[in-house]
Each structure stands twice: as C-alpha cells, then as structure tokens.
Amino acid sequence: MAGFWTGAAALVTAGRRGRRWPQPLMRSVALWTVKHVPHYSRRYLVASRTLCSAGYDSNEKTFDKILIANRGEIACRVIKTCKKMGIKTVAIHSDVDASSVHPGYGFLSENKEFAKCLAAEDVIFIGPDTHAIQAMGDKIESKLLAKKAKVNTIPGFDGVVKDADEAVRIAREIGYPVMIKASAGGGGKGMRIAWDDEETRDGFRFSSQEAASSFGDDRLLIEKFIDNPRHIEIQVLGDKHGNALWLNERECSIQRRNQKVVEEAPSIFLDSETRRAMGEQAVALAKAVNYSSAGTVEFLVDSKKNFYFLEMNTRLQVEHPVTECITGLDLVQEMIRVAKGYPLRHKQADIPINGWAVECRVYAEDPYKSFGLPSVGRLSQYEEPIRLPGVRVDSGIQPGSDISIYYDPMISKLITYGSDRTEALKRMEDALDNYVIRGVTHNIALLREVIINSRFIEGNINTKFLSDVYPDGFKGHQLTETERNQFLAVASSLFVASQLRAQHFQDHGNSRVPIVKPQVASWELSVKLHDEIHTVIASKSGPTFSVEVDGSKLNVTSTWNLASPLLSVNVDGTQRTIQCLSREAGGNMSIQFLGTVYKVRILTKLAAELHKFMLEKAAEDTSSILRSPMPGVVVAISVKPGDLVAEGQEICVIEAMKMQNSMTAGKTGKVKSVHCKAGDTVGEGDLLVELE
C-alpha cells in the first residue's frame, strides 16, 4: 500500500507555488487530481467487513484531515479506518481513474524523495522516515544492514551488476541457480531465476527493463536461489520512541511470476521457536533503521526451517488483513497513531494468534494462460460474497468499473476467518463460489483449486507449488465421475427449467388465441461435455428434478430462479452454488460449477438427430501465426520479414501491467509478415507475426 499523508492543503499549495519537485515526482504528481471523498467512501465501507476487533478512542487526538496517496481498494481501506477515528479524508486520482477503478498498490509508497518533499513542507507522511525508506528500499543496502544486525541473509553478490557479462561471471561464482532481481524492486517485478548462462543473459535484460519501467531504476543484484523454499514474512510495527513489535507471520508461498496469490496467517509450517527467532530478527532489523510505522520483513524458509532475509517492505502490504484477523489490530490505525507521535499501545506478550485467516487475491486474469495473464474490460455484473459469515472483501470497484491495462489487474482481496484453518478454508471455498464477476476473465477457478488441493491442505507447499501441481499448466477443475454426473444433472435441470419458463404464458383473460400447454412427463436429452455425448432423461415434480445420467439417478432441487446470478442447488443431499453465465437458443450453456466454467451443449432427442446434419466450423490453423495472449504494449520486435526463426525463438516482447513477456515462435519457419511495431498497443488475440 502506498504511504498516506496529512496536511493536504499544504501539499496542494506547494504545488501551486511551482515548487521544484524532483523530476520523477513531477511526472507522477501532475497526473493526479485531488477530490474530497465522503461520497466515494460510503458505498464501499458499508460493504466490507473488518473482521478485526480493534478499539477506537474518540478522545485520542490524531489528525483533522488525511490525504491518501493511493487508489481504488486500498484508498477505501484507509478511509474506512479514518472514518472510525473521526478523521476527514481526501483522495486523489489519475485521469484513467476518474470514475474509480480496481485496486492498486505502490503510488509513491516507498519513494524517499517524495517523503523528503513532504517533510520540507511540514506535511506529515504516515509511514517510516526517509532514512528507513531509503535503507530498506534498496535491496543492496538493506542486505548489508541486515548482515550488520545479525539477520540471516542469502549468499550472493552485494554490489550492483553492471552488464550481462558480469552477471554471467557472478552467477558462475555463486553457483546456479541464481536469482536476478531489481535493487529498487518489489511486488515480484524485475525478478528472474536463471539456471545457466543463457538464462542469466536473458534475465539480466528483462529484469533491467522491468525495473526501469516499474521503478525508474534499472540496477540489479544477484544472489543464490534457494530451491523449493517457502515465502514467509513477519509483520512489524515500530514507533518513534524506540519500541518495535512483531505481529506474527504470514505464509505467502502460493505465487505465480514471483507475485503472491494466496496468503494465510499463521503459517502451518512454523513452530513457536522458529516463529520467535524470525520475529526477533525482524524487530532487530527494524530497530537498526529506527523504523516507525507498519512494515514487513520477508524471509525465504527451507525445508529444515532455516530462514534467510529477502527484503523489507516499508509500507502496509496487500496481505495485511490476515494479520488483522488473527491479532485484532487495525494496522492503519496503528500507523496513524505512530505518525502522530503516540507510543505503541501493546507489548510483545500482548500479541495473540486467535484463529486462522486466509486471503485470496482475486485478479482480472486468465488463469489458463501462464497461471494468469491480464484481462481487461468492464464489469457488467459484480456481487461480493459479504453476506456469508467470516468473510471480508477489500475492494474499490462496483458494477460498471473498467479494468484497464494501466495498473495491476487485482479486482479485490477476499479474506475469510475461522476458529481454525479448516473452517477458514471452507469459508473461502463458499465465498469463491458465491463471488459474481462478469465482464472480465478472472482467476476464481485457480484460487478455488489451490485451497482444496490435498498438498495445500496438508501444508506441503513452496513457491513452486503451482508449477509442481500443474506442470502442463492450469486446466481447471477435473471432474470426478460423481461430480460429472452431478454437473450433467444440474445442467439438464437448468435447461428444462428455462424451456418451461419460455413456454409459460400469463393469461389475463383477453387472449384471442387459445393456448394449449404441452403435458410432457419427461425430457430425453443429449448433453455434450468435453466432446463426449451423454444421454439424460429428466422429469419434474415441484421444485425437484429426477434426472437419470447414463443410468445413474439423481434428484436436483432448487428454487430455479433463472434471473439470479447465483443458484443454490441440492444434488442428492449435496449443496452446490452454481452460476449460469450464458444460455443460447442453440442449446449451448456456460455454467460455473466448483469454481470452473464448463461449456455444454444440451439438445432434445429430435434436435440432436437433426444437428448431425449441421456443418461444423473448421478450427483456425494457428501453427503459422502468433497472436497476443493478452492486452499490452509491444516493447520490442526481434524479427523482420524474411528472417528464419527456430521453434522457441523470441519474436517480440509484450509488456502488460509492468511485466514483460517474451513471445516465441511455435515452429521453425520464415517470417512472412510483421503486423506490429515497438510502442504499439495490442489487444488479446491481435495478430502479431505470420510465418510462411
């Protein structure tokens, strides 16, 4: 989360006086507009449940007004606490955010120059001081400070890597595999793993480009890659009086592209002794830089519980709600109190671990492409599952909001809390099933599969979990025979229910045409799922359908409210929440079942016999063409017409949401034509290159 500050009038006045802000800041600040936000906050603050028991003393004086240097979800999160503390708020937005869009983190959050400018204007920055931001924001300097504070560190090269040749030399000295990462980086951007010299050269190029694009700083460092580690971080909190606490840990090992997807607190892996050792080292590092705010010290932990300092984030992180759930603290409130100069209210012995909390990052992404390539579009329908017990949703969007290419594609943070891990995970499963997101592709299917996976439930996880569990890529939920029959029974029941609704005629007594309602005892259907045809016979009695699927009989009961985006159905005593995404006249239906969207074609017996005579559209031969798998910007083109390319050779680089992706040839051949150039904005499916 970005830092936020007080004294908005002073900041705005300074801008009007034409103060010479540092150049990087001038470009950022110029894009943003200030607005008061009481109307902006009400819609979201009512919708979100805090799931924390923090107390708010109305007599404790802090600030009159706070200007929030962030956007979307986290701005709403800060506003919520400010309202409880009786503090007025002001928000800012960029041109593309004029109507408030999806969540984003990082705007000026860890920029020491920005913090200096505020200090010069007597504006209080609610976050650590400039020394801590600078020390911990630079991975090279932070690693040296960690060593000095006797914090365990990863073996590696402590200087700045100058070029690709030096990167190869250093990597050989350290020993493969190595991690190449941006010195000023964070959020997984500017990070690459290299297993040999060639990957080191490529990693140096991509990491430096991503670092320059994301942070305005292309410096890189290299360190030993800890294979199969866990990513566990410690939340710390310090004040201006030399006090510091560790607020337990968060398990953040489920990642894709070095970015977290699922987090939980506490970690199922740590014992009390390791937890205390990690917490004490995190506090030692915080005290070494006189840290005064909320911050996070991240560690890599191997299978033997050896832990190594990774980095410190001098801000409130995306996953902070799980810590709030198990400790009862409001971390935003604590940051505000510390910034005002109050000492911490708690001692280390006062910090509890009560229950269990899980957070899923809900993204506008296609999880079937590299576990999540960005999706853009407008939310045509959006309903959060906040009516369920133990559920918290932090978001900053509403139906009609746009998901653009300009920011991180996170839609919201979905948090569930339970008395233990089993209850928290079950509540997450229900929450994901009851989350309605239409208009963009989302990652609900992947999130749900992760939390019900046997390895995850056992706690047998590491940062390679997704690639280990899905070596051929994510394919969605694989139905068991029982689940398949349940799905076919539900889909068939939906089909018949929609047919009956279409036949319904409301007679007001003035009809000139007599209506003869057909009396159909049962429906014989042909259902196609995954290229397999199933024979289904359905009959209806009140709200219950009796369905025979390939000889197996099931009873399906529901209200059959086809206008609702969510439908609760009971299949032979098993309760399921499904979503019917589309129904077409030709019998095609898309149904979200167990988190995954399945496409089926349901026809009556007569229609199925006639369908055999319908011509099928031939599939496009894509072996000789390269289409963009995501919306983004073309960073570089590596080929031109007439060039010979080998299978797997890089053809172009596409940047989406600050991440650079190398597009490669699917086969060996000659380049026939190139349909884009560097700097072009492309959409998903746009033609990039053709081969002969």
Side-chain angles (χ1 to χ4, degrees):
M1 187 204 78
F4 40 106
W5 67 89
T6 66
L11 176 65
V12 174
T13 302
R16 288 174 180 166
R17 286 205 307 266
R19 175 176 176 81
R20 293 184 59 82
W21 300 88
Q23 284 298 318
L25 294 178
M26 290 181 67
R27 289 193 292 271
S28 296
V29 173
L31 293 174
W32 293 74
T33 304
V34 177
K35 65 176 179 180
H36 289 273
V37 291
H39 67 286
Y40 171 77
S41 61
R42 280 197 295 266
R43 151 70 176 84
Y44 305 109
L45 303 189
V46 172
S48 178
R49 299 182 181 182
T50 59
L51 295 184
C52 73
S53 56
Y56 302 91
D57 184 355
S58 59
N59 296 318
E60 186 177 74
K61 180 65 176 175
T62 53
F63 303 107
D64 294 323
K65 185 185 294 185
I66 292 177
L67 194 153
I68 302 164
N70 217 308
R71 51 189 302 280
E73 167 267 320
I74 196 58
C76 293
R77 165 67 189 90
V78 174
I79 292 168
K80 178 169 56 182
T81 290
C82 289
K83 288 175 74 71
K84 291 178 179 178
M85 297 178 71
I87 302 171
K88 295 178 181 179
T89 54
V90 178
I92 54 179
H93 66 84
S94 67
D95 293 340
V96 297
D97 267 352
S99 60
S100 176
V101 294
H102 63 300
Y105 283 74
F107 173 55
L108 301 178
S109 61
E110 296 175 280
N111 190 307
K112 66 180 185 299
E113 296 301 325
F114 177 60
K116 285 181 181 178
C117 290
L118 296 180
E121 296 293 332
D122 294 325
V123 177
I124 297 176
F125 181 76
I126 301 181
D129 62 25
T130 55
H131 167 67
I133 295 175
Q134 178 175 355
M136 293 295 101
D138 187 305
K139 286 184 172 60
I140 296 173
E141 184 176 353
S142 66
K143 188 173 180 180
L144 294 175
L145 283 168
K147 284 184 176 180
K148 189 174 181 180
K150 301 187 184 308
V151 176
N152 303 343
T153 59
I154 301 172
F157 179 70
D158 296 331
V160 178
V161 183
K162 298 177 182 178
D163 53 37
D165 289 337
E166 185 177 40
V168 170
R169 179 182 60 77
I170 293 170
R172 289 175 176 174
E173 291 176 357
I174 296 173
Y176 287 111
V178 297
M179 174 69 82
I180 303 168
K181 56 187 181 182
S183 176
K189 295 180 174 66
M191 296 177 66
R192 288 290 191 281
I193 300 169
W195 295 80
D196 54 38
D197 291 355
E198 182 179 356
E199 290 186 358
T200 299
R201 293 184 185 278
D202 288 342
F204 181 89
R205 175 165 65 100
F206 284 122
S207 291
S208 59
Q209 289 173 353
E210 284 181 3
S213 175
S214 298
F215 316 112
D217 185 342
D218 64 356
R219 293 177 303 142
L220 302 177
L221 71 155
I222 298 179
E223 59 191 20
K224 181 71 176 176
F225 175 65
I226 308 299
D227 200 10
N228 297 321
R230 288 174 178 263
H231 187 133
I232 299 177
E233 58 192 29
I234 301 290
Q235 176 74 59
V236 295
L237 184 65
D239 62 22
K240 300 180 186 296
H241 305 277
N243 304 308
L245 303 171
W246 49 275
L247 308 181
N248 303 310
E249 79 281 2
R250 296 187 288 256
E251 173 73 70
C252 306
S253 297
I254 308 299
Q255 305 179 0
R256 51 99 181 92
R257 298 192 298 278
N258 298 310
Q259 289 184 311
K260 303 161 191 172
V261 179
V262 178
E263 302 103 352
E264 59 182 311
S267 169
I268 195 173
F269 183 65
L270 294 191
D271 53 49
S272 58
E273 183 179 345
T274 308
R275 176 180 295 114
R276 183 176 63 254
M278 293 176 69
E280 289 174 350
Q281 288 199 15
V283 165
L285 180 60
K287 288 185 174 182
V289 292
N290 298 317
Y291 197 84
S292 58
S293 190
T296 301
V297 181
E298 301 192 352
F299 294 94
L300 292 181
V301 185
D302 67 20
S303 59
K304 298 180 180 179
K305 294 187 174 67
N306 297 310
F307 57 90
Y308 305 93
F309 170 70
L310 184 63
E311 63 182 354
M312 182 175 185
N313 293 301
T314 55
R315 53 182 164 84
L316 191 64
Q317 296 214 172
V318 178
E319 57 272 23
H320 78 273
V322 293
T323 295
E324 293 183 328
C325 286
I326 67 167
T327 62
L329 299 179
D330 181 333
L331 294 183
V332 174
Q333 178 191 18
E334 299 301 328
M335 292 175 72
I336 293 172
R337 292 188 72 261
V338 167
K340 184 63 177 177
Y342 290 109
L344 297 181
R345 299 179 292 174
H346 308 283
K347 302 297 183 182
Q348 189 63 60
D350 301 330
I351 305 302
I353 297 181
N354 289 328
W356 211 283
V358 180
E359 175 177 303
C360 285
R361 300 192 188 189
V362 180
Y363 281 101
E365 291 182 337
D366 186 346
Y368 300 95
K369 297 178 179 178
S370 300
F371 300 113
L373 292 185
S375 170
V376 299
R378 178 164 293 177
L379 290 168
S380 57
Q381 197 168 7
Y382 182 76
E383 293 182 14
E384 297 171 348
I386 55 172
R387 59 184 174 80
L388 301 178
V391 173
R392 165 177 168 176
V393 182
D394 285 11
S395 69
I397 60 173
Q398 58 188 339
S401 293
D402 287 317
I403 307 298
S404 73
I405 66 172
Y406 298 103
Y407 299 109
D408 185 277
M410 191 171 71
I411 294 173
S412 72
K413 303 180 310 193
L414 177 62
I415 306 101
T416 57
Y417 174 79
S419 58
D420 55 27
R421 190 170 186 258
T422 299
E423 184 177 44
L425 290 177
K426 181 60 175 70
R427 286 178 168 177
M428 179 60 73
E429 185 179 338
D430 293 340
L432 290 169
D433 284 341
N434 283 271
Y435 208 142
V436 178
I437 304 172
R438 310 281 173 83
V440 297
T441 305
H442 55 74
N443 68 332
I444 294 289
L446 176 64
L447 296 172
R448 195 183 189 283
E449 284 303 291
V450 168
I451 65 165
I452 67 170
N453 182 272
S454 59
R455 271 188 54 180
F456 180 83
I457 293 172
E458 294 166 3
N460 179 20
I461 60 176
N462 55 51
T463 56
K464 292 172 60 180
F465 177 86
L466 291 179
S467 58
D468 287 347
V469 174
Y470 309 107
D472 300 320
F474 180 65
K475 308 296 183 184
H477 183 72
Q478 304 302 301
L479 296 170
T480 64
E481 183 178 353
T482 298
E483 291 170 344
R484 184 203 65 190
N485 289 344
Q486 287 182 348
F487 173 75
L488 293 174
V490 170
S492 300
S493 300
L494 268 175
F495 175 80
V496 175
S498 65
Q499 294 295 305
L500 292 174
R501 187 178 71 164
Q503 293 173 6
H504 180 71
F505 185 88
Q506 185 67 43
D507 188 359
H508 295 288
N510 58 358
S511 174
R512 297 183 180 180
V513 180
I515 301 299
V516 180
K517 298 183 178 180
Q519 299 297 321
V520 180
S522 64
W523 291 262
E524 186 172 350
L525 306 173
S526 173
V527 184
K528 182 179 181 181
L529 173 66
H530 298 153
D531 296 325
E532 293 184 351
I533 305 295
H534 302 269
T535 299
V536 176
I537 299 175
S539 59
K540 186 174 186 292
S541 175
T544 300
F545 282 92
S546 295
V547 186
E548 183 177 321
V549 181
D550 294 339
S552 298
K553 294 183 178 181
L554 302 95
N555 292 317
V556 184
T557 304
S558 178
T559 59
W560 305 112
N561 180 4
L562 303 184
S564 173
L566 293 169
L567 194 61
S568 179
V569 297
N570 186 294
V571 187
D572 282 349
T574 301
Q575 202 69 28
R576 303 289 191 193
T577 299
I578 68 165
Q579 300 184 36
C580 185
L581 306 184
S582 65
R583 294 190 305 271
E584 299 177 3
N588 292 319
M589 303 175 70
S590 292
I591 300 173
Q592 184 172 312
F593 179 77
L594 301 178
T596 294
V597 176
Y598 298 94
K599 294 182 178 181
V600 292
R601 189 192 68 207
I602 304 179
L603 301 173
T604 63
K605 182 179 180 181
L606 175 60
E609 292 173 354
L610 296 175
H611 190 272
K612 298 175 183 177
F613 301 100
M614 300 293 288
L615 295 177
E616 296 283 348
K617 182 179 178 181
E620 180 185 21
D621 180 9
T622 59
S623 62
S624 298
I625 61 175
L626 175 65
R627 295 187 181 275
S628 179
M630 78 207 91
V633 176
V634 179
V635 174
I637 299 290
S638 306
V639 299
K640 62 182 183 300
D643 285 355
L644 293 175
V645 296
E647 180 179 353
Q649 180 178 332
E650 180 181 291
I651 290 181
C652 64
V653 176
I654 304 291
E655 181 178 287
M657 277 90 170
K658 303 296 184 182
M659 297 293 287
Q660 296 198 353
N661 303 273
S662 176
M663 304 291 105
T664 60
K667 70 173 188 178
T668 299
K670 181 183 289 187
V671 177
K672 178 182 178 181
S673 56
V674 177
H675 297 267
C676 59
K677 62 182 184 298
D680 283 356
T681 298
V682 296
E684 182 179 354
D686 284 0
L687 181 62
L688 303 176
V689 176
E690 288 183 275
L691 302 179
E692 291 182 355

